[in-house]
């Protein structure tokens, strides 16, 4: 790292541009489903409550007829399994939606925390390091969004029109979600068009909840990693003090590093509180969904149904990437936080007085317990967890094939 002194700014002069770059995508997704309130107008602060109630009604309006169709209408075991996966995804997305709604105060607290950190940026190098991790989180969110929305459009709005819909020897117009056959009025215009639009809104809500969950995780965790990177640069410069223009005293430099480290640890604790339930639901539901999608791909491969195979394979990639992203950022946070202790030892600590060098022992002790994000305090988000999930899905797939075939 360069030891040349950089110009100091009284605050981040690019704050508004930076914070817009960091939060824009997540704000757009989460505001449209009511998770984040609108702040542009006074009335907008209450619109999100109406949106939450409305979308929960739309999801319930979709799930109930679909469940009745699976129980009473559908007799084919393969189609039942396919619809069960759809219903399970709806229920888990609704669960995550409720959790995010309950955790809204903590989410807003974390967002304000992120804004505060960006406002307090002093050195240009700090801003560049934070932007690097913010860009990584933004790219992950874009990939998740692209996969999820593309696969959902194929599954919900294109695939139904390539499947023959016959109930009681009558051909019916396809809908995004199947409906109980007793509700014949759903095929009559304009009721059919209204129901179709409601199903499309439900589809958008379910996908946005999944994308929003992953986007929030990527935003908060990569921000914490960016802050840790700033701490590492401070530690590397502890002896020379080039980046401590306001703290020329070595004791004050160490105090500033400890303060920043404690701030990141507290932020990570709130982030885990926000994410632990939704991550648990996401991992457990993805375990079931990925297994079912693997089975659907095998069945469609045997039936030579290319459109359905392509759709389910894209969904498979989407859910796999969602789980991988959560596990990857958890692994990244553990790796970055554990580097603090390593850097403390690798700097020229022997050039400072023993009195101040002893202060580094506490930092090393804290860094020996790296920051982790867990799924319901049951499993840590790491690449090992991702591998274990894939292994478990293959084991369940083998059992499912034996049971059904």
């Amino acid at each position: 790292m360069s030891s040349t002194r950089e110009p100091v700014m009284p605050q981040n002069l690019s704050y508004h541009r930076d914070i817009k770059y960091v939060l824009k995508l997540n704000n757009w997704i989460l505001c449209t489903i009511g998770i984040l309130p609108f702040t542009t107008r006074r009335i907008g602060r209450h619109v999100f409550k109406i949106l939450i109630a409305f979308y929960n009604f739309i999801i319930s309006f979709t799930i109930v007829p679909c469940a009745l169709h699976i129980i009473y209408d559908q007799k084919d075991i393969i189609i039942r399994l396919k619809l069960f996966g759809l219903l399970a995804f709806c229920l888990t997305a609704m669960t995550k939606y409720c959790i995010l709604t309950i955790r809204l105060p903590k989410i807003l607290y974390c967002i304000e925390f992120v804004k505060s950190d960006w406002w307090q940026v002093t050195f240009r190098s700090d801003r560049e390091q934070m932007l690097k991790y913010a860009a990584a989180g933004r790219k992950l969110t874009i990939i998740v969004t692209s996969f999820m929305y593309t696969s959902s459009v194929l599954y919900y709005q294109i695939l139904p029109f390539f499947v023959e819909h016959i109930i009681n020897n009558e051909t019916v117009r396809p809908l995004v979600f199947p409906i109980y056959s007793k509700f014949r009025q759903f095929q009559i215009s304009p009721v059919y068009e209204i129901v179709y639009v409601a199903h499309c809104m439900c589809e958008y809500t379910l996908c946005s909840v999944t994308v929003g969950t992953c986007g929030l995780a990527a935003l908060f965790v990569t921000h914490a990693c960016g802050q840790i990177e700033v701490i590492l640069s401070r530690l590397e410069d502890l002896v020379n003090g080039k980046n401590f223009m306001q703290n020329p005293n070595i004791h004050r430099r160490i105090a500033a590093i400890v303060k920043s480290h404690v701030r990141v640890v507290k932020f990570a604790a709130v982030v885990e509180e926000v994410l632990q339930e939704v991550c648990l639901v996401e991992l457990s539901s993805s375990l079931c969904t990925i297994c079912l999608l693997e089975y659907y791909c095998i069945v469609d491969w045997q039936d030579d149904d290319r459109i359905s195979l392509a759709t389910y394979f894209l969904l498979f990639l989407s859910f796999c990437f969602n789980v991988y992203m959560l596990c990857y950022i958890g692994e990244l946070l553990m790796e970055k936080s554990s580097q603090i202790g390593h850097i403390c030892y690798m700097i020229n600590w022997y050039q400072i007085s023993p009195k101040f060098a002893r202060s580094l022992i506490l930092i090393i002790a804290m860094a020996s317990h790296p920051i982790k994000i867990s799924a319901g305090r049951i499993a840590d988000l790491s690449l090992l967890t991702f591998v274990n999930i894939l292994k478990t899905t293959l084991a369940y797939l083998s059992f499912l094939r034996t049971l059904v075939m």
Side-chain angles (χ1 to χ4, degrees):
M1 180 175 296
S2 175
S3 60
T4 59
R5 180 175 297 181
E6 299 185 58
V8 179
M9 297 178 287
Q11 64 181 34
N12 183 8
L13 299 179
S14 304
Y15 167 77
H16 295 289
R17 183 177 61 188
D18 293 343
I19 206 66
K20 182 178 180 181
Y21 173 79
V22 172
L23 299 178
K24 182 177 181 180
L25 186 58
N26 286 288
N27 279 345
W28 186 85
I29 295 171
L30 295 175
C31 284
T32 55
I33 58 174
I35 297 299
L36 293 182
F38 297 95
T39 57
T40 53
R41 296 179 182 178
R42 185 176 302 174
I43 192 174
R45 298 178 182 178
H46 304 284
V47 170
F48 77 99
K49 299 178 182 179
I50 301 174
L51 285 177
I52 291 173
F54 174 74
Y55 282 125
N56 275 290
F57 169 76
I58 289 293
I59 296 173
S60 302
F61 174 80
T62 302
I63 289 178
V64 174
C66 181
L68 292 175
H69 172 80
I70 296 173
I71 296 172
Y72 295 108
D73 290 340
Q74 195 55 248
K75 305 303 179 183
D76 191 313
I77 185 64
I78 303 299
I79 299 179
R80 267 192 173 184
L81 278 174
K82 289 186 176 182
L83 294 179
F84 174 77
L86 170 63
L87 186 62
F89 173 68
C90 295
L91 291 173
T92 53
M94 191 175 185
T95 303
K96 288 185 289 185
Y97 194 30
C98 294
I99 293 172
L100 290 177
T101 304
I102 295 171
R103 293 296 185 186
L104 180 58
K106 295 290 184 180
I107 294 174
L108 295 177
Y109 172 82
C110 290
I111 292 175
E112 291 301 320
F113 202 105
V114 171
K115 291 180 178 179
S116 176
D117 284 340
W118 278 99
W119 177 263
Q120 297 175 25
V121 172
T122 304
F123 293 96
R124 198 174 304 277
S125 60
D126 295 346
R127 177 175 176 267
E128 291 173 355
Q129 290 167 351
M130 292 170 64
L131 278 175
K132 181 181 72 172
Y133 284 94
R138 183 182 172 89
K139 288 177 183 177
L140 289 172
T141 304
I142 290 174
I143 295 173
V144 169
T145 304
S146 302
F147 266 122
M148 182 56 64
Y149 284 128
T150 302
S151 58
S152 67
V153 168
L154 287 174
Y155 179 76
Y156 292 108
Q157 298 183 2
I158 295 179
L159 186 61
F161 290 92
F162 287 89
V163 179
E164 188 177 9
H165 296 265
I166 299 178
I167 299 178
N168 297 328
N169 296 323
E170 294 181 3
T171 302
V172 297
R173 290 187 286 182
L175 288 166
V176 178
F177 295 86
I179 288 181
Y180 185 40
S181 61
K182 299 296 183 181
F183 301 148
R184 297 180 182 274
Q185 63 272 24
F186 285 168
Q187 290 293 312
I188 303 173
S189 296
V191 177
Y192 171 81
E193 287 76 12
I194 295 174
V195 172
Y196 188 87
V197 172
H199 283 188
C200 291
M201 295 176 67
C202 178
E203 168 210 349
Y204 174 77
T205 306
L206 298 176
C207 294
S208 297
V209 168
T210 302
V211 171
T213 300
C214 295
L216 280 179
L219 167 66
F220 294 150
V221 175
T222 54
H223 177 75
C225 291
Q227 293 303 107
I228 293 174
E229 190 68 31
V230 172
I231 294 174
L232 294 177
S233 68
R234 293 288 189 272
L235 281 170
E236 292 176 342
D237 193 49
L238 178 63
V239 177
N240 296 325
K242 297 297 182 181
N243 289 334
F244 288 92
M245 296 178 64
Q246 297 177 349
N247 296 313
N249 184 273
I250 186 70
H251 176 70
R252 293 184 178 180
R253 297 176 201 169
I254 296 175
I257 291 172
V258 172
K259 183 179 179 180
S260 299
H261 189 202
V262 171
R263 181 176 171 84
V264 172
V265 171
K266 289 182 177 179
F267 174 69
V270 180
V271 170
E272 183 180 14
E273 187 177 353
V274 170
L275 297 178
Q276 61 179 342
E277 292 95 349
V278 290
C279 286
L280 178 62
V281 174
E282 181 69 30
L283 295 187
S284 56
S285 63
S286 295
L287 180 65
C288 174
T289 305
I290 291 173
C291 173
L292 290 173
L293 288 171
E294 291 170 344
Y295 179 75
Y296 303 158
C297 289
I298 293 174
V299 171
D300 290 335
W301 179 278
Q302 293 174 345
D303 295 340
D304 197 24
D305 190 344
R306 298 182 181 180
I307 297 177
S308 181
L309 175 61
T311 302
Y312 286 123
F313 184 71
L314 188 58
L315 282 169
F316 168 76
L317 293 178
S318 177
F319 279 94
C320 284
F321 187 81
N322 290 351
V323 177
Y324 172 77
M325 193 214 73
L326 293 175
C327 294
Y328 169 75
I329 60 177
E331 182 82 19
L332 180 64
L333 183 60
M334 285 193 291
E335 180 183 347
K336 296 302 296 183
S337 59
S338 63
Q339 287 180 3
I340 294 177
H342 177 73
I343 294 296
C344 280
Y345 182 77
M346 295 302 294
I347 63 176
N348 297 334
W349 52 267
Y350 46 81
Q351 294 181 0
I352 61 179
S353 65
K355 176 183 176 181
F356 296 127
R358 283 195 293 268
S359 301
L360 299 177
I361 297 176
L362 182 59
I363 302 177
I364 296 174
M366 286 291 294
S368 64
H369 302 281
I371 303 172
K372 298 179 180 179
I373 303 295
S374 66
R377 302 188 187 276
I378 296 176
D380 295 330
L381 297 183
S382 64
L383 295 180
L384 179 60
T385 301
F386 175 70
V387 173
N388 290 334
I389 288 175
L390 291 185
K391 289 181 179 178
T392 306
T393 61
L394 293 176
Y396 287 166
L397 174 63
S398 177
F399 173 75
L400 183 63
R401 291 190 65 189
T402 304
L403 183 65
V404 176
M405 295 183 177

